[in-house]
Amino acid sequence: MINIISAFSEQGNKYNEDSFFYSDNFFVVIDGATGLNEKKLTSSKTDAAWLAQRLKKLLKKDLANLNCSVVDILKKEAQIIKSELDNMGYNMFTSSKFYPSACVSIVRINKNNLECYSLGDSPIFIIKRNNDLITLYDNSVELMDNRVLSQMINLHKKTGCSIYCARNNAVINDMLINNRSKMNQNNSYYIFEPTGIGIDHIKKTIVPLTDISAFALMTDGFYSVLSTYKIVQENRELMYKLIDGKALNLFYQLKELAYADTTFNKYPRLKMIDDATVIVAKNL
């Protein structure tokens, strides 16, 4: 029996572009991202928020079909979403980089197994009953962002401006646009977007359900409790705190540290605070 310890999505951006849901048999976290299109074409607050909610609705229906692989489900849903976005005006664009995209993490109980899938930088952590830790996480975006942050720190040291001000530098903006343009290309990062190109690169593991003690899915916004703010020092420590019911407390600590550092000088980052979403579950 799976018991939910924590499940929430806390807004960090102007509009929350994350979504999540769970049932007895599947657990999903989605982190939407705006494309390079500067004009909003959907009816939602942002096109990234639209994608996160639309994909959530489709997955809620389709994941129940245990005879269909998660990869095939995502490919089918990408086709549906692309058709809908194209009808809203996205067919004017010749490149997938203009479409909204999303990191997707999925855990599904199928017969006696736990199927785990992660596309993008929203990690999944699994603690086995023998205390082994399994990690599904693509750090490609983190590495690309770290190169941008290094340049921001250099500008801070060279000019005396805050790291927050350096974020608005034209060189930094060009670096971020260039990174986004590398989406779903070789030697870059893979993510869900309506062309479906990146789906075959999804990270996957299958573990016998009887071997599982606990698992957690989260967006990179929540994972920043470790990656940015170092509230915890490593993944195992993070999982133990989550299993102990400390997820919301960790987020509140993250939020306090972020808003106390308005210059970004103490905790170099690309935005004040990101949306933070997490599901934590224990196998009883």
Side-chain angles (χ1 to χ4, degrees):
M1 178 181 175
I2 301 297
N3 178 54
I4 298 297
I5 298 172
S6 301
F8 62 80
S9 183
E10 291 285 343
Q11 181 178 331
N13 295 305
K14 184 177 181 181
Y15 304 110
N16 193 340
E17 296 174 336
D18 288 356
S19 67
F20 78 99
F21 69 94
Y22 60 88
S23 71
D24 290 340
N25 294 315
F26 40 83
F27 314 82
V28 176
V29 163
I30 302 168
D31 181 1
T34 302
L36 294 182
N37 168 36
E38 295 181 354
K39 182 179 179 181
K40 185 175 76 71
L41 296 176
T42 69
S43 58
S44 296
K45 296 295 186 180
T46 71
D47 291 355
W50 180 91
L51 176 62
Q53 294 300 324
R54 183 67 178 119
L55 183 56
K56 169 183 172 178
K57 184 175 181 180
L58 291 169
L59 284 170
K60 270 188 174 182
K61 174 174 64 71
D62 293 337
L63 282 176
N65 182 1
L66 298 180
N67 293 318
C68 191
S69 75
V70 168
V71 168
D72 288 340
I73 288 171
L74 287 171
K75 287 181 177 180
K76 183 187 79 170
E77 293 171 350
Q79 291 178 341
I80 293 170
I81 288 170
K82 185 175 188 304
S83 176
E84 292 173 349
L85 286 172
D86 285 347
N87 287 335
M88 297 177 199
Y90 270 91
N91 58 349
M92 75 176 77
F93 300 114
T94 58
S95 172
S96 61
K97 67 185 180 182
F98 293 102
Y99 286 84
S101 58
C103 299
V104 186
S105 289
I106 299 169
V107 171
R108 181 171 74 165
I109 298 172
N110 193 344
K111 298 178 181 177
N112 297 317
N113 292 319
L114 196 74
E115 302 176 342
C116 306
Y117 301 83
S118 180
L119 183 60
D121 63 349
S122 292
I124 298 174
F125 299 111
I126 304 158
I127 295 282
K128 297 176 67 177
R129 295 199 186 277
N130 65 4
N131 212 34
D132 284 351
L133 175 67
I134 299 174
T135 300
L136 284 184
Y137 177 58
D138 183 354
N139 69 344
S140 302
V141 172
E142 182 181 358
L143 294 175
M144 294 168 71
D145 284 347
N146 284 343
R147 288 192 286 271
V148 177
L149 290 172
S150 293
Q151 186 63 29
M152 290 166 61
I153 292 169
N154 288 338
L155 284 169
H156 160 62
K157 291 178 177 178
K158 185 181 297 185
T159 67
C161 74
S162 68
I163 293 176
Y164 172 81
C165 290
R167 169 63 181 83
N168 298 316
N169 184 279
V171 172
I172 300 302
N173 191 55
D174 288 345
M175 288 180 71
L176 291 169
I177 291 173
N178 183 57
N179 285 349
R180 181 61 61 87
S181 299
K182 295 176 180 178
M183 176 178 66
N184 289 334
Q185 294 181 13
N186 291 334
N187 301 316
S188 183
Y189 70 100
Y190 295 99
I191 197 169
F192 178 93
E193 44 81 16
T195 70
I197 295 171
I199 295 172
D200 282 330
H201 297 272
I202 197 167
K203 292 184 178 295
K204 171 185 175 182
T205 191
I206 298 176
V207 186
L209 187 58
T210 54
D211 291 350
I212 302 298
S213 175
F215 59 87
L217 311 77
M218 65 197 73
T219 59
D220 66 321
F222 184 86
Y223 188 56
S224 66
V225 299
L226 189 157
S227 62
T228 299
Y229 299 97
K230 308 300 182 186
I231 298 168
V232 293
Q233 300 303 312
E234 48 95 21
N235 293 332
R236 187 177 294 275
E237 181 188 359
L238 173 59
M239 275 301 294
Y240 288 159
K241 285 187 177 293
L242 295 179
I243 293 168
D244 198 33
K246 298 294 196 301
L248 198 56
N249 178 262
L250 287 170
F251 172 75
Y252 288 147
Q253 290 181 65
L254 176 163
K255 191 174 182 179
E256 182 178 359
L257 292 174
Y259 284 114
D261 179 34
T262 57
T263 63
F264 294 17
N265 290 348
K266 186 173 183 179
Y267 301 104
R269 57 201 189 274
L270 297 174
K271 60 178 69 174
M272 176 60 74
I273 187 172
D274 200 0
D275 304 322
T277 301
V278 65
I279 299 173
V280 186
K282 187 171 180 62
N283 189 20
L284 300 178

